[in-house]
Amino acid sequence: MSNLAAPVLDPHADIVDLTAAIVDIDSVSGNERALADAVEQALREHAPHLQVLRDGDTVIARTDRGLARRVLLAGHLDTVPLAGNLPSERRTREGREELWGRGTVDMKGGVAVFLKLAVEADAAPTDLTWIFYDHEEVAAADNALTRIAAERPEHLEADFAILGEPTSAGVEGGCKGTMKLEVTARGVAAHSARDWVGDNAIHRLAPVLERLDAYQARRAVIDGLEFRECLNAVAISGGIAGNVIPDRASAIINYRFAPDTTVEQAEAHVREVLSGLDLEIEVTDAAGGALPGLDAEAARGFLAALGEDVPVAAKQGWTDVARFSALGTPAVNFGPGDPLLAHADDEHVPLEDLRTSLEALRRFLVPGA
Amino acid sequence: MSNLAAPVLDPHADIVDLTAAIVDIDSVSGNERALADAVEQALREHAPHLQVLRDGDTVIARTDRGLARRVLLAGHLDTVPLAGNLPSERRTREGREELWGRGTVDMKGGVAVFLKLAVEADAAPTDLTWIFYDHEEVAAADNALTRIAAERPEHLEADFAILGEPTSAGVEGGCKGTMKLEVTARGVAAHSARDWVGDNAIHRLAPVLERLDAYQARRAVIDGLEFRECLNAVAISGGIAGNVIPDRASAIINYRFAPDTTVEQAEAHVREVLSGLDLEIEVTDAAGGALPGLDAEAARGFLAALGEDVPVAAKQGWTDVARFSALGTPAVNFGPGDPLLAHADDEHVPLEDLRTSLEALRRFLVPGA
């Protein structure tokens, strides 16, 4: 019988066992239903203080105790595709205990911590909204937060938001923005034995690469956190045939900009970097960053509860905190696992990270814990 | 009945009609048999002074009159793929009569001139070898001359060779060599929001493009002919994903070098141009050029017969003359049609070119003509 039953999650289990149970429910983007069902069932069964809503494969649970402030905690249920790395496996390496498998870092450790605390935190100092959502690892338009923002925006309202993305159990405030631009050089095609009647478009990209290579990226310090900007060609292509001078060549440039910079300012900056060159420049993708907002009242309470041992840094990669920032809600990333291992074939989380994250967040949400 | 019969070529027909008849026998590389059959039949029927051999879809016809010198005339029967440009069509534009269609330039006009003269030239001042061959427009290994050189090398022996490639009815001596090199830069992959832990391989190509763009190509004057060298990136590629600093990027460089330069010298030169850069450089394709050899006795006789009105220039593109040069045989290109229209969708030859080429070559091969 048990093999046929839907998986059940026990939020009272040890954090490592709970994380492994969540990891072992395969939930590659688009296939989140079984995990969403298990999360919904666990909350309905074990957290009577929460109002639980189901929206597609997103589960929203909230208190409405009429408190002065509301903190929102969100974690995505989906993972990138498997790499032969399920079911999860415990390993001990050089004396360190680890849990290996897809999602252990990004971000089922964070989901496990949130699920345990959603059940425990029935007397938190603020009202709480918990969001376990689908489709984060795919196009932004498919991200469940896009749908929630459009259809149930009241559930995204909060004074402070915590996203459970991996931060090695530290706090990573805000995030940088990201922009992609396609840069195209035009030339004149010719036979490669008679190049003087043509104009090589690939060669026209020389000053583009030169400027990118020489570029000194800005380091912006905001709320005491350093955001390091990055400007890179992430793709380049050109060429028609081995005996033809190509009349077109292009590069994709990715600009990661500090959150004190708007999308419009970011575009103007890239155009300035490339000024004077005969190029077509088109923005193909853009999303603003998120300011850390660590001086907000609710953020200060969170940091104080965590204590001085928890490191605080800037989040360099773009995350959904930017969505909250765009709504005017300060937001941080906080979760177990090394972000550099997210999406990696050898994705694994130290068990210590799971325990540390749980305890730190518990100090904030469960008074007297 | 006539629709089912194999096509027949009449070498006594007017040069324009004969060219059109040859063009109208579709002979895209690999499909040369019908045209080879027609050429073989025309020679056997109308040129009793020639010994005719058939080798695959190549037809070799020769005199063996014991004369002091031998001139070889070669033309390929195949064309690049059609572009909706068959059957051929006569057009008059701005008072100029033209024949349009695939192969009119490259090089069925030359084949028609050669076929007419193979029949007429039964008393030429030298022994003659005529080669009508297959698979020129494809990989060098498939070129019939590769097979003939390996299996019947005696048929390529001559004191002077004329290749019927398009030259607008002028003489284009020799040809440049060509070499392709793949240049690869290695870096270290990283997330594009944390580029400082990586090394962008695309950016490593900046100095490659810069040097190619700034390159001052040599102009080598050999036997009074100017060969202009060319050094170009003909392809470039790199990139893994929009959020990844790529660890590999590569460019294909094509070097067209003057025929006074060996393949080894050419490779050394490109490596010198790129010296000091951290790159992997691999030669993927190379073929030496051909010296014009216009001071050879047989070449001087040819030029004298053509007269001073026929322009003489360097051949910039690589052609099969290089094969003859490699065998120690001076070789020139001589044929109707503008080489810039070879392979073009609007391929067409001025009728005047057909007539001029025929008359000029006839002055050399048919004494008293």
Side-chain angles (χ1 to χ4, degrees):
Chain A
M1 281 296 288
S2 67
N3 283 340
L4 294 172
V8 171
L9 297 173
D10 175 9
H12 298 296
D14 172 76
I15 182 64
V16 178
D17 294 332
L18 179 60
T19 301
I22 292 173
V23 167
D24 290 342
I25 303 174
D26 170 5
S27 60
V28 173
S29 306
N31 189 32
E32 297 94 335
R33 181 179 294 182
L35 180 54
D37 286 350
V39 167
E40 180 185 2
Q41 185 193 335
L43 291 171
R44 290 194 189 279
E45 187 169 334
H46 299 282
H49 61 286
L50 294 174
Q51 182 195 354
V52 178
L53 297 103
R54 175 72 176 250
D55 183 313
D57 286 331
T58 290
V59 181
I60 301 173
R62 53 186 293 155
T63 64
D64 282 290
R65 296 161 55 214
L67 297 176
R69 297 200 177 76
R70 174 176 295 278
V71 172
L72 184 151
L73 300 100
H76 63 83
L77 298 173
D78 59 323
T79 68
V80 296
L82 308 186
N85 52 356
L86 279 192
S88 63
E89 199 182 316
R90 282 197 198 205
R91 296 190 198 170
T92 302
R93 293 192 308 164
E94 297 173 4
R96 192 173 84 152
E97 293 179 297
E98 299 165 343
L99 183 68
W100 285 60
R102 173 64 72 228
T104 50
V105 169
D106 192 9
M107 55 164 279
K108 292 183 168 181
V111 168
V113 168
F114 284 5
L115 184 60
K116 272 191 88 67
L117 292 175
V119 169
E120 284 184 34
D122 57 359
T126 68
D127 268 315
L128 300 177
T129 303
W130 304 90
I131 302 184
F132 300 91
Y133 63 104
D134 58 288
H135 284 88
E136 191 269 350
E137 298 288 6
V138 287
D142 294 329
N143 186 313
L145 293 185
T146 303
R147 184 178 76 237
I148 305 293
E151 297 175 7
R152 299 170 177 261
E154 67 279 13
H155 291 307
L156 296 185
E157 284 168 14
D159 300 286
F160 179 55
I162 301 170
L163 204 67
E165 291 281 356
T167 59
S168 292
V171 174
E172 292 189 356
C175 77
K176 290 186 296 203
T178 180
M179 171 173 288
K180 292 204 189 79
L181 306 98
E182 181 164 17
V183 171
T184 303
R186 302 280 177 182
V188 177
H191 194 287
S192 65
R194 289 181 289 269
D195 64 2
W196 58 91
V197 301
D199 178 19
N200 194 324
I202 293 176
H203 295 190
R204 295 284 78 73
L205 291 179
V208 176
L209 298 189
E210 204 181 332
R211 291 185 189 186
L212 293 176
D213 195 38
Y215 184 75
Q216 295 294 320
R218 186 171 73 107
R219 298 180 180 209
V221 177
I222 302 168
D223 289 2
L225 308 185
E226 184 184 70
F227 293 89
R228 288 181 70 165
E229 296 197 336
C230 305
L231 185 64
N232 282 278
V234 290
I236 193 165
S237 64
I240 296 164
N243 62 351
V244 177
I245 303 296
D247 59 358
R248 183 183 185 283
S250 65
I252 307 289
I253 292 176
N254 185 209
Y255 181 34
R256 300 286 181 145
F257 49 97
D260 59 352
T261 301
T262 64
V263 164
E264 293 69 27
Q265 289 167 333
E267 177 178 352
H269 179 66
V270 177
R271 289 186 181 277
E272 175 63 25
V273 169
L274 300 177
S275 66
L277 304 180
D278 187 13
L279 300 165
E280 296 164 20
I281 301 174
E282 186 191 357
V283 175
T284 58
D285 190 24
L291 289 164
L294 296 184
D295 55 353
E297 179 69 27
R300 287 210 301 265
F302 168 69
L303 292 173
L306 261 51
E308 300 216 336
D309 288 348
V310 175
V312 180
K315 186 73 177 175
Q316 304 297 339
W318 193 93
T319 76
D320 276 331
V321 293
R323 296 174 179 271
F324 295 104
S325 182
L327 295 169
T329 307
V332 298
N333 303 276
F334 175 76
D338 178 353
L340 294 176
L341 289 174
H343 304 191
D345 290 357
D346 61 346
E347 187 174 353
H348 61 274
V349 65
L351 303 191
E352 186 59 23
D353 264 26
L354 297 172
R355 297 180 183 122
T356 306
S357 308
L358 176 65
E359 285 154 22
L361 199 54
R362 188 183 269 151
R363 287 197 292 276
F364 176 48
L365 296 176
V366 185
Chain B
M1 279 297 284
S2 67
N3 282 340
L4 295 172
V8 171
L9 297 174
D10 175 9
H12 297 295
D14 172 75
I15 184 64
V16 177
D17 293 332
L18 180 60
T19 301
I22 292 173
V23 166
D24 290 342
I25 302 175
D26 170 5
S27 59
V28 173
S29 306
N31 190 31
E32 297 95 335
R33 181 179 293 182
L35 180 54
D37 286 348
V39 167
E40 180 186 2
Q41 184 192 335
L43 290 171
R44 290 194 189 279
E45 186 168 336
H46 299 282
H49 61 286
L50 294 175
Q51 180 194 356
V52 179
L53 296 104
R54 174 73 177 249
D55 182 313
D57 286 332
T58 290
V59 181
I60 301 174
R62 55 187 292 155
T63 63
D64 281 290
R65 295 161 56 215
L67 297 176
R69 297 201 176 76
R70 174 176 295 278
V71 171
L72 184 152
L73 301 99
H76 64 82
L77 297 174
D78 60 321
T79 69
V80 296
L82 309 187
N85 51 356
L86 279 191
S88 63
E89 201 181 315
R90 283 197 197 206
R91 297 190 197 168
T92 301
R93 292 193 309 164
E94 295 172 5
R96 191 173 85 152
E97 292 179 297
E98 299 164 343
L99 184 66
W100 284 61
R102 173 62 73 228
T104 49
V105 168
D106 191 9
M107 52 164 283
K108 292 183 167 180
V111 167
V113 168
F114 284 5
L115 184 60
K116 273 193 86 69
L117 291 175
V119 169
E120 284 185 34
D122 57 359
T126 68
D127 267 316
L128 299 178
T129 303
W130 303 91
I131 302 185
F132 299 92
Y133 63 104
D134 57 290
H135 283 88
E136 192 269 350
E137 298 288 6
V138 287
D142 294 329
N143 187 312
L145 292 186
T146 302
R147 184 178 75 237
I148 305 293
E151 297 175 7
R152 300 171 177 260
E154 68 277 14
H155 291 306
L156 296 186
E157 284 168 14
D159 299 286
F160 179 56
I162 301 170
L163 203 67
E165 291 282 356
T167 58
S168 291
V171 174
E172 292 189 357
C175 76
K176 289 188 297 204
T178 180
M179 171 173 288
K180 292 203 189 81
L181 306 99
E182 181 162 17
V183 171
T184 304
R186 302 279 177 182
V188 176
H191 193 287
S192 65
R194 289 181 288 269
D195 64 2
W196 57 92
V197 301
D199 178 19
N200 194 322
I202 293 176
H203 295 189
R204 296 282 78 73
L205 291 180
V208 175
L209 298 189
E210 204 181 330
R211 292 186 190 185
L212 292 175
D213 195 38
Y215 185 75
Q216 295 293 321
R218 186 171 73 108
R219 299 180 180 211
V221 177
I222 302 168
D223 288 3
L225 307 185
E226 183 183 71
F227 293 89
R228 289 181 70 165
E229 296 198 336
C230 304
L231 184 65
N232 283 279
V234 290
I236 192 164
S237 65
I240 297 164
N243 62 351
V244 177
I245 303 297
D247 59 358
R248 183 182 186 283
S250 65
I252 307 288
I253 293 176
N254 185 208
Y255 181 33
R256 301 287 181 145
F257 49 96
D260 59 353
T261 302
T262 66
V263 164
E264 292 70 26
Q265 290 168 332
E267 178 178 351
H269 179 66
V270 177
R271 288 185 183 274
E272 175 63 27
V273 169
L274 299 177
S275 66
L277 304 179
D278 187 14
L279 301 166
E280 295 163 23
I281 301 174
E282 187 191 357
V283 175
T284 58
D285 189 25
L291 289 164
L294 296 183
D295 54 353
E297 179 68 28
R300 289 210 300 265
F302 168 70
L303 293 173
L306 261 54
E308 300 216 337
D309 288 347
V310 176
V312 179
K315 186 73 177 176
Q316 303 296 340
W318 193 93
T319 76
D320 276 330
V321 293
R323 297 175 178 271
F324 295 104
S325 182
L327 295 170
T329 307
V332 299
N333 302 277
F334 175 76
D338 178 352
L340 294 177
L341 288 175
H343 304 190
D345 290 356
D346 61 345
E347 188 175 351
H348 61 273
V349 64
L351 303 192
E352 186 60 21
D353 264 25
L354 296 172
R355 296 180 184 122
T356 305
S357 309
L358 175 66
E359 285 155 20
L361 199 55
R362 187 183 269 150
R363 286 196 293 276
F364 176 48
L365 296 176
V366 186

